[in-house]
Amino acid sequence: LALIAGFGYMGYTHAIENEPIEEKVFHLQNQLDYVSFEDISPQYINALVAIEDQRFYKHGGVDYIALIRISIANMMAKEILGGGSTITQQLAKNLYFMESTSMTRKISEAFVAFELEKKYSKEEILEFIDSQNDIQSKQSWSNCRIIYSGWKII
């Protein structure tokens, strides 16, 4: 486990040395479809948090309770049912680690999540996840808005 954590930390340091978090966020904030927190529907925020990360406002990037719960469920099912990632960890994955799926990546993701939570508010993190487009050109939630006559209805 210590070895995996060490490789995870190395993955984190390598990722942020290549492009620091501030640069990633700067590029994200300068996308044409970037949406500020004030422009995101409270119902959308509530739904996102309720579905993806119920303890979002209570943890610092990693939800240890969720990790324990999903680990027990995975062991009992003898298969992977889920990963227990928080919204912040999902953002970390989308910013840096889309190409891999491994325990080492999950550890690297956690380190990036801690860093994001240190540098940015919960509201900013929700802005980032809403505006994030992944590298496979999938549409972000922000593109699901109805745009009519110059008005964005969220």
Side-chain angles (χ1 to χ4, degrees):
L1 190 59
L3 188 59
I4 293 171
F7 283 126
Y9 184 77
M10 286 173 36
Y12 152 75
T13 56
H14 178 70
I16 63 168
E17 282 173 3
N18 286 339
E19 188 169 10
I21 290 173
E22 296 83 2
E23 283 182 33
K24 287 276 192 181
V25 168
F26 175 80
H27 294 301
L28 184 61
Q29 289 174 321
N30 286 288
Q31 289 182 3
L32 291 176
D33 61 349
Y34 187 81
V35 179
S36 67
F37 184 78
E38 297 77 28
D39 294 328
I40 303 172
S41 163
Q43 292 85 1
Y44 167 77
I45 296 294
N46 292 339
L48 178 66
V49 171
I51 293 167
E52 295 292 334
D53 187 359
Q54 294 176 3
R55 295 175 35 79
F56 177 70
Y57 293 103
K58 297 177 182 169
H59 61 67
V62 174
D63 186 349
Y64 299 105
I65 293 170
L67 287 176
I68 291 168
R69 184 182 66 244
I70 197 66
S71 296
I72 291 169
N74 288 344
M75 285 189 301
M76 291 180 74
K78 297 181 181 170
E79 65 178 317
I80 303 296
L81 300 173
S85 291
T86 65
I87 289 171
T88 311
Q89 285 176 278
Q90 291 173 38
L91 176 62
K93 179 187 75 175
N94 292 345
L95 290 174
Y96 288 103
F97 306 109
M98 289 296 293
E99 73 287 343
S100 66
T101 56
S102 67
M103 182 61 79
T104 302
R105 187 216 68 206
K106 294 293 277 183
I107 302 292
S108 299
E109 207 176 89
F111 283 111
V112 172
F114 291 138
E115 186 97 8
L116 284 163
E117 292 269 352
K118 240 186 342 185
K119 294 181 180 208
Y120 302 100
S121 70
K122 294 289 189 175
E123 289 76 17
E124 288 171 311
I125 289 167
L126 289 167
E127 282 181 23
F128 304 156
I129 199 75
D130 180 65
S131 297
Q132 177 68 49
N133 286 314
D134 69 32
I135 60 172
Q136 296 171 347
S137 300
K138 293 179 184 172
Q139 296 297 313
S140 70
W141 280 104
S142 64
N143 290 330
C144 294
R145 294 183 301 261
I146 300 168
I147 302 174
Y148 180 75
S149 297
W151 290 88
K152 290 183 181 178
I153 303 169
I154 300 176

